[in-house]
Amino acid sequence: MSLNKKIYLDYNATTPTDSRVVDAMLPYFTDNFGNASSDHSFGWYADEAVEIARNKVAGLVNSRPVELTFASGATEAANLALFGFCKKNSNKGNHIISCKTEHKAVLEPLEALEADGFEVTYLDVDTNGNVDLNELEESIKPDTIMVCLMLANNETGLIHPITSITELAHSKGVTVMSDITQAVGKIPVDLQDSGIDIAIFSSHKTYGPKGIGALYLNKNNNISVGRHLYGGNHEKGVRPGTLNVPGIVGFGEACEIAQQNLEENHQKQSSLRSQLEEALLSIEGTTINCVKENRLPNTTNVSFKGVDGTKLLRYLNKLAVSRGSACTANQVNPSHVLKAMGVENDVALASLRISTGRNTTSEDIEQAVSEIKKAINQLKTVSI
């Protein structure tokens, strides 16, 4: 089936690059192709474009431009942050606190740090994915150097109370890192006001190009990271390598567009989510996960009881939806996020993440619900 005949409802996995972003990028592949580190007019022009983009990205998340380091994406930024900060500060302690529902981009580096001798406490969550702030406080020890908790969950859309988390951690002298990838461009993100010390996020979740992201280091709190990669002094030595100037320009353009349309897009996505969830709840045995919690406006995580989840996506061949994170979508395993929330394996397997975007219409939602109802009825019939 042609992709243009499918309804795309997986915007949390990636977004189409905005045509205005592509237009902004194109000259930096051809005419303005200079290396931003070159000491001549081609390099100066490229470097200026990078700094203009850095200002635009900073504007969307309310940071200072100097606090942003460009990387190849949020995953690389997570590695730079976790290894760079924890190893640099190992003389102060080796204990890190995180959560069982974090993205694999954070969980796997944490596992590697554990293999290197660091101790990691993974907080439990309740049935809605919330961490217990009392448990967080009790988990902080004299050798705790970092609390690492995401702002918004990529599978359920749950938004953590990050300001309360940073206030608690800071009262104990502990640094806070947050994966803000899914929140940026969907809800207001204010890094200065939140108190976050280290943040990671990516361009391709907000209608920018793939292959570019950012690492935020709070200069007000004197946050820095040690070198994890080597090969040059680009980006103040934090991330060496020739800068992806077209990608950075596109990232900046995408952030500027997102900032201009943030409130309007929020209202549209909230309306589409309400339409979707009201219709889905008419299907017997349906549960909307985290339905009463503070969530991203575009994200629905829905579970269907009594359905063979191993076949569900194959029956939905006219829709682009996911079982969970795109990083694990090719594995037929229950979501680690839903399992941490206490959802049984068979129900977790029969769960979908549906995420809408700028191009989603009310008609798309109607057709998607029709396809889901048809698939659920077929699978319930087959399972009898």
Side-chain angles (χ1 to χ4, degrees):
M1 177 183 292
S2 172
L3 287 178
N4 60 15
K5 293 182 180 179
K6 290 197 175 192
I7 298 175
Y8 187 80
L9 294 171
D10 200 16
Y11 284 83
N12 281 11
T14 196
T15 58
T17 305
D18 190 297
S19 61
R20 292 166 290 182
V21 171
V22 175
D23 288 342
M25 293 171 64
L26 285 176
Y28 294 91
F29 288 108
T30 53
D31 298 335
N32 309 326
F33 57 86
N35 186 324
S37 297
S38 295
D39 193 17
H40 50 62
S41 58
F42 285 82
W44 302 332
Y45 194 88
D47 182 61
E48 182 182 22
V50 166
E51 295 312 315
I52 290 171
R54 201 186 306 269
N55 275 273
K56 291 179 179 180
V57 177
L60 180 59
V61 296
N62 191 28
S63 73
R64 289 184 290 172
V66 71
E67 295 174 313
L68 297 177
T69 297
F70 289 118
S72 66
T75 298
E76 184 186 41
N79 279 264
L80 292 171
L82 287 166
F83 288 104
F85 180 84
C86 293
K87 292 193 173 184
K88 181 177 182 179
N89 291 277
S90 60
N91 61 318
K92 300 176 183 177
N94 73 337
H95 181 232
I96 307 160
I97 300 172
S98 190
C99 177
K100 293 179 179 178
T101 55
E102 289 291 309
H103 193 280
K104 294 293 184 182
V106 165
L107 291 176
E108 290 192 6
L110 287 176
E111 291 172 6
L113 283 168
E114 285 184 282
D116 277 350
F118 285 84
E119 178 190 358
V120 182
T121 296
Y122 297 95
L123 298 175
D124 290 318
V125 297
D126 64 18
T127 54
N128 289 311
N130 294 297
V131 296
D132 185 332
L133 294 187
N134 290 324
E135 182 186 355
L136 170 59
E137 184 172 15
E138 292 169 1
S139 299
I140 296 175
K141 305 189 296 185
D143 63 344
T144 303
I145 57 173
M146 175 185 280
V147 169
C148 182
L149 293 171
M150 60 180 15
L151 176 52
N153 189 273
N154 52 296
E155 293 191 26
T156 65
L158 178 78
I159 299 171
H160 286 305
I162 199 67
T163 302
S164 297
I165 290 166
T166 58
E167 289 175 352
L168 173 57
H170 288 168
S171 72
K172 305 288 186 179
V174 177
T175 295
V176 175
M177 172 178 161
S178 186
D179 174 359
I180 64 172
T181 305
Q182 287 295 343
V184 173
K186 296 172 187 165
I187 59 174
V189 175
D190 189 327
L191 288 173
Q192 295 294 327
D193 185 62
S194 69
I196 293 170
D197 298 299
I198 302 172
I200 60 169
F201 56 110
S202 193
S203 162
H204 76 102
K205 306 289 188 181
T206 184
Y207 306 88
K210 297 174 181 65
I212 190 70
L215 166 64
Y216 162 79
L217 302 174
N218 190 326
K219 298 299 182 184
N220 289 335
N221 295 347
N222 296 315
I223 301 298
S224 61
V225 296
R227 279 199 168 197
H228 179 55
L229 298 174
Y230 297 87
N233 199 42
H234 313 80
E235 292 296 90
K236 298 175 287 295
V238 176
R239 199 272 183 177
T242 301
L243 292 179
N244 175 6
V245 177
I248 291 169
V249 168
F251 192 7
E253 188 72 12
C255 286
E256 185 172 57
I257 293 168
Q259 188 174 20
Q260 293 168 351
N261 300 295
L262 192 60
E263 184 175 348
E264 178 186 349
N265 190 52
H266 190 290
Q267 292 175 353
K268 176 188 175 182
Q269 302 311 319
S270 295
S271 177
L272 290 172
R273 188 185 69 181
S274 296
Q275 177 190 351
L276 171 67
E277 293 181 356
E278 183 178 346
L280 289 175
L281 286 171
S282 67
I283 304 172
E284 185 179 357
T286 298
T287 300
I288 306 294
N289 297 305
C290 308
V291 67
K292 295 183 179 180
E293 301 298 317
N294 185 22
R295 292 178 293 156
L296 295 175
N298 78 316
T299 305
T300 293
N301 191 291
V302 57
S303 299
F304 304 100
K305 195 169 185 179
V307 171
D308 185 350
T310 63
K311 299 177 181 177
L312 182 55
L313 287 181
R314 280 182 284 160
Y315 277 58
L316 295 172
N317 59 0
K318 294 182 181 178
L319 305 181
V321 295
S322 70
R323 187 177 285 112
S325 168
C327 295
T328 54
N330 291 327
Q331 303 174 18
V332 186
N333 294 316
S335 158
H336 75 281
V337 172
L338 296 183
K339 286 183 67 176
M341 291 164 52
V343 178
E344 297 177 357
N345 282 356
D346 58 339
V347 178
L349 278 171
S351 300
L352 298 173
R353 179 186 70 180
I354 304 172
S355 47
T356 58
R358 287 182 195 163
N359 299 330
T360 308
T361 65
S362 179
E363 291 73 23
D364 290 335
I365 298 297
E366 289 179 10
Q367 188 172 342
V369 171
S370 175
E371 293 295 325
I372 291 169
K373 285 182 176 179
K374 188 193 324 181
I376 296 298
N377 289 334
Q378 289 174 329
L379 286 168
K380 283 185 175 179
T381 302
V382 169
S383 62
I384 293 174

